[in-house]
Amino acid sequence: MRKLFNRLALRLAPFTVRIMGADRTYTHKAHTYADALQWAACYPPSWGRVVITGRFGRTMAERAQA
């Protein structure tokens, strides 16, 4: 039951952080905008473009590849 609850909570997380690298795309979910920014800060600009989107797909922030 706990596993199901955790999956549901992640699915309802309002922010998605995508790091689009040359070889693959990394995705993280965040419940607050501050958490989303912390996930984005974990990856250096040389890894690729970072896009933070809201629950309905609206782009909230974007960082280009350096």
Side-chain angles (χ1 to χ4, degrees):
M1 185 70 165
R2 185 176 180 176
K3 196 175 195 180
L4 177 65
F5 179 74
N6 287 341
R7 271 194 247 161
L8 181 62
L10 280 177
R11 186 170 284 206
L12 294 176
F15 297 101
T16 303
V17 182
R18 285 193 177 87
I19 297 87
M20 294 168 222
D23 57 344
R24 60 189 252 184
T25 299
Y26 303 92
T27 303
H28 299 286
K29 293 286 203 164
H31 289 281
T32 65
Y33 188 65
D35 288 343
L37 290 175
Q38 288 176 349
W39 273 117
C42 290
Y43 295 92
S46 61
W47 274 49
R49 195 172 74 133
V50 176
V51 178
I52 299 174
T53 56
R55 179 173 289 165
F56 301 109
R58 190 177 77 191
T59 300
M60 306 295 282
E62 187 171 350
R63 182 183 72 193
Q65 183 173 3

